[in-house]
Amino acid sequence: MNPLPSHIPATMRAAVLRAPKDLVIEERRVPVPGPGQVLVRVEAVGICGSDVHYYEHGRIGDFVVRAPMVLGHEPSGTVVARGPGAGFHPVGGRVSLEPGIPCARCAQCRTGRYNLCPEVSFYATPPVDGALCEYVAVDEDFAHPVPDSLSADAAALLEPLSVGVSACRKARVSPGSRVLVTGAGPIGLIAAQTARAFGAAEVMVTDIAPHRLDLARELGASHTVDARTTRIAETGFEPDVLLECSGAPAAADEAIRAVGRAGQVVLIGMGGDTIPLPLAHVQNFEIEVTGTFRYANTWPTAVSLAASGEVALDRLVTHRHRLEDTERALTAGALDRTAIKSVVRPQEY
């Protein structure tokens, strides 16, 4: 007997990674929402670099895919059922899902840094299944309401926007800040827009792809630099803040050297395990260098920035795919040099 309402099917399709470059569409049971959970019909899922890395290599650092796993951690959708005790979201409400559920008991959770919870259950991080499927059950506290003015794609991309919000908070971007963003991939383009929304007076974006730099200018960057031909030092731009989104050690080294006195450096991009640190410059200029890991308490701000139009998320989407075409979504960046962001729409056939 199906314990779900009669209009919800008992089974669904899911994009399951079995091994590197071995992804299949499987039929699975639709999850039943437990106490305090809601069942969400997934409308859109953004493809992240980590999804691509798992697809290509089957691992990221210590996280190894040892059993079949559903990919995807940037979902949005519609609430279609509620578990016992869940009452915050109405059935039919549109939501963006925060993909990490912390323990709520450890020292990090109790001080509000739940992104650092060592017991967090995070979508599409082995062994936890992600959201590239037709339905997911989630703790209602991590399903965030979104206005009808936001598309399903934009609601899904509130997850990477939360990365930008968290990074700009860490960097203390404020009115008048001069910000350097290295790397104009989806996160860099979002970080640049977020910095503008936080009041930055100037935002310079660097990359090696002209079409990405063109989009950065369209989205509000005051300056762009083609890193293939121009060094940051040659521009005369001295930022207060560096948002390092490239993950490239050489780019990070050059960019840190450009940061002015008492500046902030936030390392966002994940590339090599180590980067060179220009220690004399960091010490002599008293530069703060820090990492950032995911986000905490960012969704209300992200919703506001997207709904107001201060951050244009739909403009980043260059490829849209059905669930059956998930492999095409995962390989779009390698096959199409103009690709920025792919989105999978599980309800489309």
Side-chain angles (χ1 to χ4, degrees), residues 31 64 76 90 106 116 124 127 135 149 199 212 229 254 279 281 321 333 342:
V64 182
S76 69
C106 70
L116 298 180
Y135 295 88
S149 60
R212 292 176 183 256
T229 58
E254 178 188 356
L279 190 56
H281 183 73
H321 300 274
S342 290

Side-chain angles (χ1 to χ4, degrees), residues 241-305:
V241 170
L242 166 61
L243 303 176
E244 207 302 298
C245 301
S246 74
D253 179 34
E254 178 188 356
I256 291 171
R257 294 176 188 275
V259 177
R261 288 173 170 79
Q264 286 81 43
V265 173
V266 180
L267 303 175
I268 307 167
M270 299 180 69
D273 289 337
T274 61
I275 64 168
L277 184 66
L279 190 56
H281 183 73
V282 169
Q283 289 181 323
N284 293 343
F285 279 41
E286 290 196 357
I287 294 169
E288 297 180 24
V289 181
T290 185
T292 185
F293 185 64
R294 296 173 181 161
Y295 31 70
N297 307 301
T298 53
W299 248 258
T301 298
V303 171
S304 178
L305 291 177

Side-chain angles (χ1 to χ4, degrees), residues 173 177-182 188-189 191-206 216-217 219-225 237 239 241 243:
V173 176
S177 293
R178 306 177 79 223
V179 178
L180 171 62
V181 177
T182 45
L189 292 168
Q193 293 184 77
T194 307
R196 274 293 204 190
F198 274 43
E202 295 180 83
V203 177
M204 175 184 280
V205 178
T206 71
R217 286 192 295 273
L219 295 175
S222 49
H223 321 285
T224 58
V225 172
F237 185 69
V241 170
L243 303 176

Side-chain angles (χ1 to χ4, degrees), residues 152-243:
D153 293 351
L157 299 191
L158 292 174
E159 194 276 347
L161 176 51
S162 281
V163 174
V165 170
S166 182
C168 284
R169 285 177 177 171
K170 275 216 140 188
R172 302 194 292 280
V173 176
S174 59
S177 293
R178 306 177 79 223
V179 178
L180 171 62
V181 177
T182 45
I187 293 296
L189 292 168
I190 285 173
Q193 293 184 77
T194 307
R196 274 293 204 190
F198 274 43
E202 295 180 83
V203 177
M204 175 184 280
V205 178
T206 71
D207 202 274
I208 60 173
H211 73 280
R212 292 176 183 256
L213 295 175
D214 289 343
L215 183 54
R217 286 192 295 273
E218 177 188 327
L219 295 175
S222 49
H223 321 285
T224 58
V225 172
D226 188 330
R228 298 171 303 174
T229 58
T230 306
R231 295 185 62 81
I232 296 169
E234 296 170 357
T235 68
F237 185 69
E238 185 180 78
D240 310 307
V241 170
L242 166 61
L243 303 176

